[in-house]
Amino acid sequence: MKINAFAAYAAAEALATFTFEAGPLAAGEVEVEVEYCGVCHSDIHLIDNDWGISSYPLVAGHEIVGTVVALGDRVVTPELGARVGIGWQRGCCGSCEWCLTGDQNLCPASRATCVGHHGGYATRVRCDAAFAVPIPGALAPAMAAPLLCGGVTVYAPLVQFGVRPAHSVGVIGIGGLGHLAIRFARAFGCRVTAFSSSPEKAAEAARFGAHDFVTTQGDGGLKKAAGTVDFLISTASADLSWPDYVDLLRPNGTLCIVGASPGPVQVSATALILGRRSIRGSAIGSPPLIREMLSFAARNEVVPQIEILPLRQVNDALDKVRANRARYRMVLAVKER
Amino acid sequence: MKINAFAAYAAAEALATFTFEAGPLAAGEVEVEVEYCGVCHSDIHLIDNDWGISSYPLVAGHEIVGTVVALGDRVVTPELGARVGIGWQRGCCGSCEWCLTGDQNLCPASRATCVGHHGGYATRVRCDAAFAVPIPGALAPAMAAPLLCGGVTVYAPLVQFGVRPAHSVGVIGIGGLGHLAIRFARAFGCRVTAFSSSPEKAAEAARFGAHDFVTTQGDGGLKKAAGTVDFLISTASADLSWPDYVDLLRPNGTLCIVGASPGPVQVSATALILGRRSIRGSAIGSPPLIREMLSFAARNEVVPQIEILPLRQVNDALDKVRANRARYRMVLAVKER
């Protein structure tokens, strides 16, 4: 089977067309004809080899929605023709303690959709059957794409770190992940405050569901908000004034980091001890959690704000993401109609 | 009522005798005749005014066991004559969300036993009735004293941060808190590893119940133990090589800090994100948790290793704690028999 894709041929270069032969479909895998693929900032890190793990030609893309078109041996579900989504992870060992208890994303043998494997900026993509998650009919396929990685990245800690409807949730950074975090937290019934260095995003944060908006630059907004937040999720991959953010937390509060800062996180031990505060990390989510998240999103109409470009304009989409001009998630239409 | 005590008359000075008139007992309070009082490192911080909150004469002591000898108006329990314990906290507002949900130690109006109030290095001490916790008959009074602060400080996070019997627990620092953490974790059925900069403590750590001992200095022991610990509790009030300790954690693991380091805690965000790791703080415990802890300790024979000195030798006891020569908790006998 020949698959057509756009690939990076070297670090930080513009993508160009690439055709490859995928070979026979392995047992336990499914092949998906791609309809849409979201552009996540991690794709750019891979294209640029920021993490030193890239090999070229590299086909990025890991927020994939499409249709199952082939089943490897022993696949029970999904069925041929099912609309499914694939996120960052495409496989796991299936037999470790994490895989067996629903935390497949913690599997030490996790395999990624577009690391050492060709991802979703392509006509077709393959993954282990369990990682092709059914898309609810109520979710438009293009809208569902960014939920597969960006969506579950913010949904997972809200659920797994025990956010309750009565909680006050803060969201740092109003971008691809942040606007979804606002929408999910609002749909949980929480009080939601957006924290952004861009005052011009206040109106949009309100539209996404934020009750309050705090400008993090200059006017002392952070200090004024001290002690008001139960759960604070940082989607900004930036070095923040961490002590100020820990000070935002109420007793028993959590600062959850989903966007990695380049420098270390520095906080006072005393600030954690007094008030029983936590700093926690979270990455993506397991297939059962993705399934739960999609069902929740469909029922509560939690969808990203997207801009769709055809796959042939992938470099324009990447440029927008690189320049932080995506409002708020770029989605590539692979199967043009 | 005249109360005889030992007090610091100025920062960092040796304690000297002090007699004060306590005035009428307030409604809701109880007066306790002190039998034993543990020496906690926090007492030294108060005596030395390290936190800038001390006023003199200062009567330290907040690991108190004694007998209820007077009841203020409206006290229902404890009864006169009951043996009770008093820890760091002697009162709270009683009406905030934290007090009403069993997290009295998070009350913003928390009152401390020996801050702005005379503590347990004295013949008598007073507290709100709820903070005089009954001591189970199976616990020797002198043994129970260090459990009131040191014991609950390590017990609370083991319970509240979800340690399970199948978990691997690491304890950093084998001192007053650390040796109790080993004993509690062992009594939970956990696999327990002691981490210490003092190789000569290996045999005692084993006696407390540690299955393994890792020397944190020099020989690469920390690196070898990477990825082995589910719950790591730091009782060492020291600046540690934090990234090495975060690396000790398994996926989903927690580093819990109960001993404040002077400098900031510095960790990589990526190390938290990958593996869903947490850094959490915890301080003391609420009265219901102290009650639970005492019951657990009595049933499972979790007691500190103590050295008893009479109250008149309080300065010798303080010197030993200052020099880290307490093995492992000094207890003052106030009511000599």
Side-chain angles (χ1 to χ4, degrees), chain B residues 208-228:
Chain B
F208 296 139
H211 299 88
D212 294 301
F213 184 89
V214 173
T215 306
T216 57
Q217 308 280 348
D219 73 341
L222 278 183
K223 301 276 185 204
K224 267 179 269 178
T228 64

Side-chain angles (χ1 to χ4, degrees), chain A residues 250 265 267 278-280, chain B residues 97 250 265 267 278-280:
Chain A
R250 280 165 36 85
V265 176
V267 297
S278 302
I279 300 183
R280 316 185 73 167
Chain B
E97 63 184 294
R250 283 167 31 87
V265 177
V267 296
S278 301
I279 300 183
R280 317 186 72 166

Side-chain angles (χ1 to χ4, degrees), chain A residues 63 71 162 193 217:
Chain A
E63 292 186 335
L71 303 179
T193 304
Q217 307 281 347

Side-chain angles (χ1 to χ4, degrees), chain A:
Chain A
M1 166 60 61
K2 287 247 186 295
I3 297 179
N4 298 311
F6 275 80
Y9 285 84
E13 283 195 3
L15 309 196
T17 55
F18 172 56
T19 300
F20 62 99
E21 173 57 58
L25 189 60
E29 285 197 338
V30 300
E31 185 164 284
V32 171
E33 187 175 58
V34 181
E35 295 175 86
Y36 294 98
C37 185
V39 177
C40 177
H41 214 284
S42 302
D43 291 328
I44 292 175
H45 287 305
L46 290 173
I47 291 167
D48 294 354
N49 198 19
D50 287 338
W51 299 330
I53 58 173
S54 302
S55 57
Y56 301 89
L58 182 147
V59 180
H62 59 273
E63 292 186 335
I64 300 161
V65 170
T67 305
V68 177
V69 290
L71 303 179
D73 281 352
R74 298 197 310 270
V75 171
V76 178
T77 58
E79 295 184 350
L80 275 178
R83 178 169 279 140
V84 295
I86 306 170
W88 173 263
Q89 192 179 9
R90 71 179 162 95
C92 62
C93 81
S95 55
C96 73
E97 64 184 294
W98 310 108
C99 288
L100 292 171
T101 55
D103 277 329
Q104 290 84 355
N105 52 317
L106 299 181
C107 173
S110 172
R111 285 168 285 135
T113 302
C114 51
V115 179
H117 183 262
H118 294 319
Y121 298 176
T123 50
R124 294 187 172 206
V125 68
R126 293 170 173 188
C127 69
D128 283 4
F131 290 82
V133 179
I135 303 290
L139 279 178
M143 290 294 195
L147 296 177
L148 277 309
C149 175
V152 77
T153 294
V154 297
Y155 179 86
L158 288 170
V159 171
Q160 295 181 322
F161 295 154
V163 171
R164 294 190 287 110
H167 279 163
S168 163
V169 172
V171 177
I172 307 170
I174 314 307
L177 270 62
H179 87 294
L180 283 169
I182 293 172
R183 287 186 160 169
F184 275 116
R186 179 65 190 248
F188 281 26
C190 299
R191 176 157 194 97
V192 184
T193 304
F195 295 86
S196 171
S197 57
S198 309
E200 70 276 12
K201 285 188 179 168
E204 291 204 310
R207 191 164 52 75
F208 297 138
H211 299 89
D212 293 303
F213 183 90
V214 173
T215 305
T216 57
Q217 307 281 347
D219 73 339
L222 278 183
K223 301 274 185 204
K224 267 179 272 178
T228 64
V229 178
D230 292 295
F231 188 84
L232 182 61
I233 183 165
S234 174
T235 71
S237 299
D239 289 319
L240 305 179
S241 56
W242 297 107
D244 291 334
Y245 287 93
V246 172
D247 283 349
L248 290 176
L249 299 177
R250 280 165 36 85
N252 219 23
T254 294
L255 166 58
C256 174
I257 303 177
V258 297
S261 58
V265 176
Q266 302 195 27
V267 297
S268 132
T270 305
L272 297 180
I273 292 171
L274 303 179
R276 199 202 291 158
R277 297 187 176 92
S278 302
I279 300 183
R280 316 185 73 167
S282 184
I284 62 171
S286 65
L289 203 67
I290 293 173
R291 198 179 282 237
E292 171 190 312
M293 178 269 305
L294 291 171
S295 170
F296 179 89
R299 187 167 65 251
N300 294 285
E301 299 176 24
V302 176
V303 291
Q305 176 176 323
I306 64 174
E307 183 179 342
I308 303 179
L309 287 178
L311 177 57
R312 61 188 150 72
Q313 284 180 249
V314 60
N315 288 307
D316 297 334
L318 291 171
D319 287 347
K320 274 201 146 175
V321 176
R322 284 181 195 277
N324 281 325
R325 285 187 295 106
R327 291 296 178 273
Y328 279 87
R329 202 65 158 183
M330 304 303 300
V331 174
L332 302 167
V334 175
K335 192 176 175 183
E336 293 186 63
R337 286 150 213 276

Side-chain angles (χ1 to χ4, degrees), chain A residues 276, chain B residues 85 101-105 130 132-136 139 144 147-148 151-163 184 187-188 284-302:
Chain A
R276 199 202 291 158
Chain B
T101 56
D103 278 328
Q104 289 84 356
N105 53 317
V133 178
I135 302 289
L139 279 177
L147 296 177
L148 276 308
V152 76
T153 294
V154 297
Y155 179 85
L158 288 171
V159 170
Q160 295 181 321
F161 295 154
V163 171
F184 275 117
F188 280 25
I284 60 170
S286 65
L289 203 67
I290 293 173
R291 195 178 285 236
E292 172 190 312
M293 178 270 303
L294 291 172
S295 170
F296 179 89
R299 188 167 63 251
N300 294 283
E301 299 177 27
V302 176

